[in-house]
Amino acid sequence: MVAKPRTPKSASKSTSNIVIPVMGATGSGKSYFINKLLEATRTSERVKVGLELASCTAELRPITIKGLTSGYSSLEERDVTIVDTPGFDDSVTSDFETIKRIATWLKKSFERGSVLGGVIYVHDISQDRFTGAARRNLDMFNHLCGQPCLKKVVILTTKWNRAGPRNLEELEADLRDKHWAAMIGKGAQTLRFDANENLQCKSALGVVDALLSGVAGTSGQELLEEVLQIQDELVNRKMSLKETKIAEALRTELEEIIEAETTKKGVTDEARLARARAQVKELWSFLARGVSTAFQIIPFLTPLSI
């Protein structure tokens, strides 16, 4: 029987922060949501908000908020750290660089004894269809998160004020029944970020409260100690980054893109092929150097036709 991943016993339960990463595609509204939460808690800091699909979040931005756990005696009034993260379709940073940054931060957070209060996955409900970028972000998120932690995941839909003539409720139902069904079946919950700007601060507080109330219940301590798959892989199981689910998934995806574009008949998507080749070069260069002490990396890619 495999033991469930847990926070290191060296962590001080009375002082360790509760970490809540906010993830999702570029332009989904992650930073806007975080700013509404900061406004609601009268926290002076703000994160930069991008314009539509142009990313402003290249680095992870953790912000610690006091007072969010004051209503839960079992959480011992710990501070909550909200983490703004870049999407995997980022306009500034490659997917591999994004993986390195997220993995590094989460690993260090785990080693410091911080506990995972939950994860907020943000999805723009105003998108007409579930795009390839949305699918990639969701897949990468699941590789980072792992199934055990889905019990403390909120899938947050945003931009309900952009419905126009469309029925976004039907689109939401389709997403729940098809694309999010497996996650919901493992315990993830779906919530809406209020479309009314006057109610968005309250809505943001409600989303975080939904996570905190889950880990503050009678069985909350056990749930609170569960960690993300990437944290379990890198810290508890002492795996190198090349062995993690998310790194293997990215490698496979890049190889499939190059294979498809170089063998298909008709017009090749040169931009897509160039991006994939560039990321393979980046992966190969990073791993071949063998200088990372954080993950004890060894080469795992074979040079493709780059």
Side-chain angles (χ1 to χ4, degrees), residues 89-194:
D89 54 340
D90 192 83
S91 58
V92 177
T93 309
S94 71
D95 287 346
F96 181 58
E97 184 61 32
T98 297
I99 289 172
K100 284 195 294 179
R101 291 175 183 180
I102 292 176
T104 299
W105 194 94
L106 290 171
K107 179 177 183 287
K108 290 180 179 179
S109 170
F110 186 24
E111 291 174 333
R112 287 193 299 266
S114 295
V115 293
L116 184 73
V119 187
I120 300 169
Y121 183 82
V122 182
H123 178 81
D124 177 2
I125 195 65
S126 71
Q127 295 293 313
D128 287 328
R129 58 192 180 86
F130 195 72
T131 63
R135 165 53 61 191
R136 290 187 67 254
N137 270 273
L138 190 64
D139 288 345
M140 291 295 179
F141 172 78
N142 277 299
H143 289 307
L144 273 173
C145 186
Q147 289 190 5
C149 265
L150 288 175
K151 293 187 293 293
K152 47 183 180 178
V153 166
V154 164
I155 303 172
L156 179 66
T157 50
T158 59
K159 304 187 182 181
W160 285 89
N161 58 332
R162 299 187 182 186
R166 296 170 298 170
N167 188 331
L168 296 186
E169 287 77 10
E170 287 186 0
L171 177 57
E172 179 189 39
D174 184 66
L175 289 167
R176 286 176 56 88
D177 293 342
K178 295 179 181 178
H179 304 290
W180 300 337
M183 297 172 68
I184 294 171
K186 295 294 183 180
Q189 57 181 312
T190 60
L191 295 174
R192 298 178 183 179
F193 187 47
D194 205 298

Side-chain angles (χ1 to χ4, degrees), residues 13-67:
K13 292 182 180 180
S14 61
T15 60
S16 56
N17 277 18
I18 296 175
V19 172
I20 301 179
V22 181
M23 300 183 177
T26 298
S28 60
K30 301 187 297 293
S31 299
Y32 182 85
F33 164 79
I34 291 173
N35 281 339
K36 285 299 178 182
L37 178 64
L38 296 174
E39 182 182 341
T41 55
R42 298 183 180 180
T43 304
S44 60
E45 294 181 77
R46 293 291 185 272
V47 297
K48 191 174 181 181
V49 178
L51 298 175
E52 298 303 324
L53 296 181
S55 173
C56 278
T57 309
E59 300 287 345
L60 277 76
R61 175 78 188 279
I63 298 180
T64 299
I65 304 174
K66 297 183 179 296

Side-chain angles (χ1 to χ4, degrees), residues 238-295:
K238 308 296 183 185
M239 295 170 68
S240 60
L241 183 58
K242 65 99 177 180
E243 296 173 302
T244 63
K245 294 290 186 182
I246 192 167
E248 291 180 0
L250 179 59
R251 170 195 172 184
T252 299
E253 179 188 348
L254 293 172
E255 290 175 340
E256 288 175 350
I257 289 173
I258 293 175
E259 176 69 18
E261 290 298 333
T262 54
T263 60
K264 78 176 185 181
K265 297 179 180 180
V267 180
T268 298
D269 187 337
E270 295 294 344
R272 184 168 182 251
L273 181 58
R275 286 194 299 271
R277 284 174 167 168
Q279 288 203 63
V280 168
K281 280 186 177 181
E282 182 183 10
L283 281 162
W284 178 251
S285 175
F286 177 81
L287 297 174
R289 287 199 303 269
V291 297
S292 173
T293 58
F295 298 119

